[in-house]
Amino acid sequence: MKQSLAGLSLAELTELLKPLPVFRARQLFRHLCCGTRSFAEMTDFSLSLRESMERRFSLYSSEVAQRFVDRDGSVKLQIDLSDGARIEAVLLSDENGRKTACLSTQAGCPMGCVFCKTGSLGFNRNLTSAEMTEQFLHLQAAAGSRINNVVVMGMGEPLLNMTELRKTLLFLTGQDFGSRQFSKRKVTVSTCGIVAGIRELAENGPDVRIALSLTTADEDLRGRLMKASAANPLSALRNALLSYQQRRKRRITLEAVLLGGVNTRQKDVDALTVFVQGLDVAVNLIPWNPVVGALFEGAPLRQPSRAETDGFAERLRKQKVNVTVRLKRGRGIAGACGQLGRLSDTRV
Ligand code: SAH
Ligand code: SF4
């Protein structure tokens, strides 16, 4: 199989192209970052060089298999990897036209949170950094204009794929990426709460933002909804967040997917109020997006009513918790949080 180039760092490209001079690697790198889709388009290389590169290399290791566009402007790409695994990447557009790329880090996910479609698929494998970066490049080609933010919130648990995740983050936020370089403030990694991974990011960076999928601060309920919780108890998580904040000085987002009648009790308000004390956090409430067949202890999960969501937010606000209810972007293409998974459930 030909070596694919997109997603490689400038240093890796330089090594591959030897004995060609470094400026050639830089030229090629620029093409890859701009989304050039074929060697033929690289007219700043001689024809013979283009042909020899074409013989040795391919541009991408992955391929966009399907593209879904939502009425709200969001785009979901289903992407086939070289071994046949299929993943998804989403471009979310907000009302101000700002674009956010949402990237996957694993094919499937081993964590099995009961409310999440990806969790129901089981775990296939970790993605390579090139496969993650390629998602970004495919989305950039689909976006047609600049992407403003990156969230690592697609399929899989990013902090269980730390080495490849770090390479991807360094690529996107590195100087090599040229005028497209992302500020580290514009990149957010979402985790179900892997204590060792949060500590690792706090100590060794890169200095990106983090979002913790808390779901609830009631330990018992959290344990029943998210199996990651058993090895990562709330007290240890809170300490990891504190050290991240001492070290990185960044506000942390806490995400809580709201499950109707399950984690919207007064007990959840009280526990969350205690959990956030001493932390600089913003809480995002995400009304659950339906996942066909999702059960919690034998009973089907349901979306919270509008009144239930607003009431929950209001009770938290009364406790001086900084809360936002998140808009459901991308729902029409099953590209919203926790809906990434399988084509059969997708309605376009
Ligand atoms: N594994 C990481 C990142 C991917 S999940 C994590 O868990 O943080 C991204 C977010 O989607 C998480 O906050 C998760 O709680 C949320 N989510 C999962 N399923 C959902 C659903 N069906 N509706 C709304 N949000 C969901
Ligand atoms: Fe995995 Fe995140 Fe889904 Fe949980 S919510 S199963 S950690 S992708």
Side-chain angles (χ1 to χ4, degrees):
M1 208 167 60
K2 289 191 210 172
Q3 161 84 52
S4 63
L5 301 179
L8 296 185
S9 66
L10 180 56
E12 287 167 325
L13 271 186
T14 308
E15 197 53 41
L16 258 186
L17 285 192
K18 271 182 181 164
L20 289 178
V22 183
F23 85 90
R24 286 293 184 203
R26 218 171 268 134
Q27 244 174 319
L28 183 57
F29 187 80
R30 227 175 297 129
H31 275 297
L32 295 166
C33 295
C34 292
T36 304
R37 307 299 276 188
S38 70
F39 289 105
E41 290 168 58
M42 301 182 184
T43 47
D44 50 348
F45 287 97
S46 69
L47 184 61
S48 66
L49 202 47
R50 275 182 267 155
E51 283 171 351
S52 92
M53 287 198 295
E54 176 105 55
R55 274 193 302 277
R56 287 176 63 200
F57 308 123
S58 62
L59 286 185
Y60 291 85
S61 67
S62 63
E63 198 180 335
V64 176
Q66 300 235 36
R67 182 170 184 238
F68 303 90
V69 182
D70 200 1
R71 255 171 292 164
D72 67 5
S74 301
V75 179
K76 175 165 82 171
L77 301 181
Q78 295 196 320
I79 298 173
D80 284 344
L81 306 181
S82 55
D83 64 350
R86 178 166 281 193
I87 53 156
E88 297 181 342
V90 182
L91 183 75
L92 299 160
S93 290
D94 71 12
E95 51 283 9
N96 303 317
R98 296 180 68 75
K99 292 183 171 155
T100 299
C102 176
L103 309 183
S104 294
T105 53
Q106 299 181 315
C109 181
M111 304 313 317
C113 303
V114 300
F115 45 82
C116 174
K117 178 142 158 213
T118 310
S120 72
L121 301 177
F123 178 59
N124 178 354
R125 68 169 174 89
N126 276 334
L127 303 188
T128 63
S129 140
E131 286 166 337
M132 292 183 226
T133 310
E134 285 186 31
Q135 292 171 56
F136 178 83
L137 297 173
H138 290 310
L139 288 173
Q140 189 172 265
S145 64
R146 197 183 174 86
I147 292 178
N148 307 95
N149 301 289
V150 173
V151 294
V152 186
M153 267 185 207
M155 301 168 78
E157 170 46 48
L159 300 189
L160 294 180
N161 188 8
M162 198 64 173
T163 308
E164 297 301 304
L165 173 72
R166 172 170 281 126
K167 276 204 239 167
T168 312
L169 298 175
L170 291 175
F171 182 98
L172 293 171
T173 61
Q175 281 177 357
D176 289 350
F177 208 37
S179 61
R180 286 154 204 275
Q181 177 183 9
F182 277 91
S183 145
K184 296 191 175 77
R185 281 177 301 117
K186 305 269 174 156
V187 179
T188 303
V189 174
S190 175
T191 175
C192 65
I194 307 295
V195 170
I198 297 171
R199 289 199 170 277
E200 167 71 19
L201 274 184
E203 276 154 41
N204 301 319
D207 192 16
V208 291
R209 289 185 184 274
I210 56 173
L212 168 68
S213 301
L214 186 65
T215 314
T216 174
D218 174 27
E219 186 108 59
D220 168 61
L221 179 60
R222 194 169 194 269
R224 285 147 61 206
L225 292 166
M226 303 173 77
K227 70 178 183 210
S229 193
N232 298 278
L234 285 172
S235 55
L237 260 180
R238 204 170 165 285
N239 285 337
L241 295 184
L242 278 171
S243 48
Y244 170 88
Q245 243 160 19
Q246 271 155 13
R247 197 61 201 273
R248 301 286 159 193
K249 313 265 182 273
R250 291 203 190 280
R251 171 170 284 186
I252 293 167
T253 303
L254 299 181
E255 294 165 295
V257 45
L258 290 188
L259 311 164
V262 174
N263 64 347
T264 53
R265 308 158 306 167
Q266 187 56 38
K267 204 171 175 184
D268 300 291
V269 174
D270 297 341
L272 189 56
T273 307
V274 173
F275 187 85
V276 301
Q277 295 312 311
L279 288 171
D280 177 16
V281 290
V283 177
N284 277 342
L285 302 180
I286 315 165
W288 182 63
N289 294 311
V291 174
V292 177
L295 294 177
F296 175 48
E297 297 177 344
L301 284 169
R302 70 162 173 84
Q303 288 178 263
S305 66
R306 187 71 220 211
E308 197 175 358
T309 301
D310 291 346
F312 188 69
E314 208 36 56
R315 283 183 283 156
L316 285 168
R317 277 191 202 108
K318 282 215 180 87
Q319 301 301 321
K320 308 265 180 295
V321 179
N322 174 4
V323 182
T324 313
V325 175
R326 275 245 312 255
L327 278 173
K328 302 167 184 173
R329 284 174 286 156
R331 263 181 78 170
I333 48 172
C337 295
Q339 289 186 311
L340 300 186
R342 223 171 295 140
L343 184 62
S344 54
D345 298 336
T346 306
R347 311 244 185 288
V348 203

